[in-house]
Amino acid sequence: MERYPFTYDPKQSFTQQAGDWIADVFYDILPESGFEVRDEQIYMAFQLERAFADKQTIFAEAGVGTGKTLVYLLYTICYARYMRKPAVIACADESLIEQLVKPEGDIAKLAQHLSLAIDARLGKSPDKYVCLVKLEDARIRDEEADLFQEIYESLPEFVHTYKPLQSFEAYGDRKHYPHMNDDQWEKINWDSFQDCFTCEKRHRCGQTLSREHYRKSGDLIICSHDFYMEHVWTYEGRKREGQLPLLPDHCAVVFDEGHLLESAGQKALTFKLKHVIFEELVIRLLEGEVRETLAVLIDEAILRSETMFEVLARQSRDIPGTDRKQVILNNRLIKEVQRFRSVLTAIEEELVFESEMYTLNDYQLRIVEEHLEMLQRALLLFEQADGLICWVTDSKDGLTLSIMPRTVKEVLREQVFKSSKIPIVFSSATLSVEGSFDYVSESLGVEQYLSFSVASPYDYAKQMQAVAPKWNEGGTFTEKMQFTAQLLERTQGKALLLFPTKEELRQFKKEMELYPALSELRFLFEGDQEISHLISAFQRDEQSVLCAVTLWEGLDVPGPSLSNVIIWSLPFPPQDPVFMAKRNASAAPFEEVDLPYMLLRLRQGMGRLIRTHGDSGIVAILSVEQEGQPAVREHIEAILPAGVQLKDSLD
């Protein structure tokens, strides 16, 4: 295989030569195969050339239909071969990954029409794989044990044996179990409380074995934002533990739908603590011959952990619309955290003596020490309340405490944008808010960057209608249901319903049985099956209706199957501890936090409708008024595509 798809002259600039070839691809090569010539792609290629040449961060805002994915794919493939390291394409979620790698996706198109062998491999997040330990428990104890027993029996033979592994076949991926709903999947998938380092099954685990495969990619590694951020935050810790980083050394990163990176960073930087897991961890130390002083401290630590969680339970308050509970800090809680930390400090000091006596397993000791160090860093934030965001969630085995620092953007700035010194591309149709990139750059901690905006080539004035009904009773749930039923009857399904929260989706699912006009339509609900399977079913069944919470971005369904996008309510950020903290830190929380977030997400949701020049349809926004904020409708009208007017009705 040729290293480059063009004749490379080492005496000239590589990025310029790559740019010239990419221009030829869009002006000559692809049009010969029936592709449309798009000046927007050439302009974007010119902009990306600067970022790759100077190893800079760039915000590449290109509207729907500009073909931005093909541009960044061509640049990253060429650059990866030049640097002899893979490039990483980090997507916001699994549905976006699917758009890239499916048989008719963009990578396959390039490979076919350019006769280009592209080595693109998936690096999926751990929670997208079966956990063999959880599966073992579920097939014995769960009320749906028969289902999990069937999955257990379908695993490759090498999983059940201790013979040398002769060959590997991919297994355990969420996509392999499309008909399982999300609740069933969560009973057997990996979660953050699984201790993979000491798991006896780790050498035959699907997610562990898959890493060996994607690490050898020559061109592209495709993963999620979550996975990339997990790689960043665990990089040093894994090296200390003698583990390889999650991703190999790479030459460039593209963040597709990059405006969502902040939430992935927050998720990765969140430390979770559960009493039963902590107890299991420290009890391991008692398996060796330890001194009595350490044994006493371990008992005290378990007691302090129990007491701290009892106080947390009393100090937590429900937050409507989310499963997170707000933690109300008081002196008693902070005092219990300090007592717990002091015992942990004493244990760490004792472990120094124990390590010198070689009475503990060295590998186990490193794991425990790493966990204790992370726990100490997290709990220390309670003594700096202005730098702390925390919440608790309920589960069958007790509360889970989640702790994260407020300074996520500072960590992003230091560990991603300043230290990496590689080209970083943020690609999306919605990176700016009313013409400014300040909201995204500020939230991510990006201080220096290039940027550009390219409008969509579609004639939205002819292709899109937009309606936002004015309600007689203020937009009650019943009014929304009645309007939705009429609209779905008018378009005979063919619709995407977008909900900001799972709670609203569940209520719609429950109440729709009361509306006979909806009974003849086929509804698909996110969470009932694996998401890419649902999307495929929606695309095949032209008159179906897809109801989702996470598909504001990434869904690409051209043609009549998606002729109607119904936005149930405006996607303002949730009233959870993360956004409460952002609001509290802002002098104008609505203007600086809530409104920009909502407008970005709303633009993405509306962007699901028109995917080709032949598409047409309706966007219905069922709530545009915000109490005390009469200007919201004006802001929404300002972000509509050129020529589209927001009407009160479709009559």
Side-chain angles (χ1 to χ4, degrees):
M1 180 183 71
E2 294 288 339
R3 183 175 171 190
Y4 304 117
F6 54 87
T7 302
Y8 171 57
D9 182 356
K11 296 179 182 179
Q12 298 183 28
S13 164
F14 172 80
T15 51
Q16 183 177 343
Q17 293 177 76
D20 291 342
W21 174 74
I22 291 170
D24 291 339
V25 168
F26 290 127
Y27 273 133
D28 300 322
I29 301 174
L30 289 182
E32 288 178 2
S33 299
F35 284 72
E36 178 186 353
V37 177
R38 295 174 178 173
D39 290 338
E40 296 89 356
Q41 287 177 316
I42 306 300
Y43 178 77
M44 180 176 177
F46 176 75
Q47 300 299 321
L48 288 193
E49 182 181 319
R50 293 191 299 153
F52 279 88
D54 300 333
K55 298 182 180 180
Q56 293 195 57
T57 296
I58 186 168
F59 290 123
E61 183 177 59
V64 177
T66 54
K68 55 185 174 293
T69 305
L70 296 183
V71 180
Y72 74 61
L73 281 175
L74 289 173
Y75 258 107
T76 51
I77 291 168
C78 291
Y79 195 70
R81 296 183 180 186
Y82 175 64
M83 299 297 292
R84 297 182 183 269
K85 297 177 184 177
V88 173
I89 310 294
C91 301
D93 54 37
E94 299 300 323
S95 61
L96 277 165
I97 291 175
E98 185 67 16
Q99 298 296 335
L100 282 176
V101 303
K102 63 185 180 181
E104 66 277 18
D106 290 322
I107 292 176
K109 290 177 182 176
L110 288 180
Q112 175 187 351
H113 296 289
L114 300 180
S115 300
L116 189 62
I118 302 172
D119 187 5
R121 309 189 187 192
L122 292 182
K124 290 202 169 186
S125 298
D127 61 356
K128 300 302 179 183
Y129 286 93
V130 167
C131 171
L132 297 176
V133 173
K134 288 176 69 175
L135 176 61
E136 182 73 29
D137 182 71
R139 76 185 184 96
I140 296 172
R141 296 183 176 85
D142 195 83
E143 58 187 15
E144 297 180 279
D146 290 345
L147 168 66
F148 301 123
Q149 177 64 30
E150 183 179 340
I151 293 173
Y152 178 82
E153 293 174 354
S154 70
L155 297 176
E157 184 179 353
F158 67 77
V159 177
H160 307 299
T161 69
Y162 290 92
K163 298 177 182 178
L165 186 61
Q166 300 296 325
S167 63
F168 164 67
E169 61 179 284
Y171 82 94
D173 189 328
R174 174 69 173 104
K175 283 192 66 176
H176 297 163
Y177 313 101
H179 298 291
M180 292 181 68
N181 62 42
D182 286 355
D183 290 337
Q184 293 168 331
W185 174 249
E186 288 175 2
K187 293 178 181 179
I188 63 170
N189 74 324
W190 180 91
D191 62 58
S192 60
F193 292 112
Q194 303 308 307
D195 189 354
C196 301
F197 298 126
T198 60
C199 177
E200 62 179 14
K201 302 178 185 293
R202 68 185 183 278
H203 296 304
R204 296 177 187 274
C205 170
Q207 65 146 311
T208 303
L209 294 173
S210 70
R211 289 179 191 159
E212 182 67 20
H213 175 69
Y214 71 68
R215 292 182 67 85
K216 295 178 180 178
S217 174
D219 291 328
L220 304 175
I221 297 175
I222 302 168
C223 65
S224 65
H225 288 181
D226 289 348
F227 191 62
Y228 190 84
M229 288 297 101
E230 190 71 21
H231 159 74
V232 171
W233 307 143
T234 62
Y235 183 84
E236 294 298 334
R238 292 181 67 87
K239 287 176 64 177
R240 285 195 298 269
E241 294 163 357
Q243 303 284 326
L244 287 173
L246 293 178
L247 291 169
D249 192 18
H250 46 278
C251 66
V253 184
V254 175
F255 292 114
D256 200 343
E257 302 299 352
H259 62 288
L260 297 176
L261 183 63
E262 182 189 17
S263 61
Q266 291 167 338
K267 181 179 178 182
L269 201 55
T270 299
F271 184 86
K272 293 184 178 181
L273 174 63
K274 186 180 290 187
H275 170 71
V276 293
I277 302 298
F278 171 75
E279 186 173 6
E280 290 175 5
L281 175 73
V282 294
I283 284 178
R284 288 181 190 170
L285 297 174
L286 299 177
E287 295 174 0
E289 296 180 7
V290 299
R291 292 175 300 150
E292 184 178 355
T293 51
L294 178 57
V296 170
L297 285 172
I298 290 172
D299 287 340
E300 185 179 355
I302 293 171
L303 177 61
R304 289 299 177 198
S305 174
E306 284 180 327
T307 304
M308 183 183 73
F309 274 94
E310 288 172 0
V311 176
L312 277 169
R314 292 196 293 269
Q315 290 300 117
S316 60
R317 304 288 183 271
D318 290 331
I319 302 174
T322 176
D323 60 351
R324 295 177 177 181
K325 294 186 176 183
Q326 183 182 8
V327 175
I328 310 299
L329 296 179
N330 66 359
N331 290 334
R332 173 70 193 283
L333 175 57
I334 293 174
K335 193 170 185 179
E336 289 301 331
V337 171
Q338 291 171 337
R339 288 174 175 171
F340 185 35
R341 285 194 61 238
S342 67
V343 179
L344 295 180
T345 300
I347 290 176
E348 289 176 315
E349 293 171 352
E350 287 291 323
L351 289 179
V352 174
F353 293 107
E354 294 289 345
S355 64
E356 294 173 351
M357 298 173 65
Y358 301 101
T359 58
L360 294 174
N361 178 281
D362 184 59
Y363 183 70
Q364 288 271 16
L365 181 60
R366 288 206 315 272
I367 299 301
V368 173
E369 287 177 333
E370 185 70 26
H371 277 275
L372 292 180
E373 182 182 338
M374 289 191 296
L375 180 54
Q376 286 275 39
R377 288 202 304 266
L379 292 176
L380 182 62
L381 293 173
F382 276 91
E383 297 181 11
Q384 307 162 357
D386 58 341
L388 167 72
I389 300 173
C390 68
W391 64 90
V392 295
T393 51
D394 278 321
S395 60
K396 61 182 180 181
D397 54 354
L399 287 181
T400 297
L401 171 63
S402 298
I403 306 169
M404 63 174 283
R406 291 177 187 264
T407 55
V408 168
K409 69 178 182 181
E410 279 77 9
V411 181
L412 280 166
R413 180 187 297 124
E414 296 301 321
Q415 297 191 33
V416 178
F417 303 114
K418 281 190 175 181
S419 63
S420 58
K421 296 180 180 177
I422 59 176
I424 298 177
V425 178
F426 286 85
S427 174
S428 178
T430 57
L431 288 170
S432 65
V433 178
E434 298 179 333
S436 171
F437 292 93
D438 290 349
Y439 176 74
V440 173
S441 61
E442 172 65 21
S443 65
L444 295 173
V446 181
E447 295 177 338
Q448 294 183 334
Y449 59 88
L450 304 172
S451 66
F452 70 90
S453 294
V454 178
S456 171
Y458 299 142
D459 188 350
Y460 284 95
K462 293 182 179 179
Q463 294 178 257
M464 176 190 287
Q465 297 181 69
V467 59
K470 290 200 172 180
W471 310 104
N472 295 325
E473 299 176 19
T476 64
F477 187 87
T478 299
E479 282 184 305
K480 289 184 178 183
M481 285 295 298
Q482 291 172 344
F483 184 85
T484 300
Q486 294 169 7
L487 191 54
L488 291 177
E489 188 175 17
R490 172 175 175 158
T491 60
Q492 297 181 314
K494 306 176 184 179
L496 170 68
L497 263 75
L498 289 172
F499 297 86
T501 67
K502 292 181 180 179
E503 188 177 67
E504 289 174 288
L505 184 147
R506 284 193 291 263
Q507 187 179 5
F508 175 86
K509 187 176 182 180
K510 179 181 178 182
E511 298 291 333
M512 60 175 281
E513 298 176 0
L514 303 176
Y515 294 82
L518 302 179
S519 62
E520 297 180 2
L521 298 174
R522 182 191 179 199
F523 282 82
L524 303 168
F525 291 93
E526 182 179 355
D528 285 356
Q529 295 180 356
E530 190 269 332
I531 191 65
S532 65
H533 181 78
L534 273 179
I535 293 171
S536 179
F538 172 61
Q539 194 161 10
R540 289 194 309 269
D541 185 351
E542 191 172 297
Q543 293 185 316
S544 61
V545 179
L546 178 57
C547 302
V549 175
T550 66
L551 295 180
W552 295 79
E553 298 89 2
L555 182 67
D556 185 15
V557 180
S561 292
L562 208 174
S563 303
N564 184 358
V565 173
I566 301 175
I567 294 168
W568 187 258
S569 57
L570 293 180
F572 282 101
Q575 297 295 323
D576 70 1
V578 174
F579 282 97
M580 287 179 183
K582 295 185 91 173
R583 294 182 185 102
N584 291 337
S586 172
F590 182 79
E591 291 78 9
E592 296 178 358
V593 179
D594 292 338
L595 187 62
Y597 177 96
M598 182 275 288
L599 292 175
L600 276 177
R601 202 116 207 255
L602 182 60
R603 285 176 64 197
Q604 281 287 345
M606 292 189 296
R608 299 312 97 209
L609 181 66
I610 306 300
R611 309 302 296 178
T612 70
H613 283 288
D615 289 346
S616 62
I618 303 165
V619 168
I621 306 172
L622 305 192
S623 173
V624 299
E625 306 303 336
Q626 180 81 353
E627 186 175 351
Q629 300 291 343
V632 168
R633 191 179 186 100
E634 296 176 14
H635 285 287
I636 293 173
E637 290 173 341
I639 65 168
L640 290 174
V644 178
Q645 295 183 339
L646 191 62
K647 300 179 180 179
D648 296 339
S649 71
L650 291 173
D651 297 331

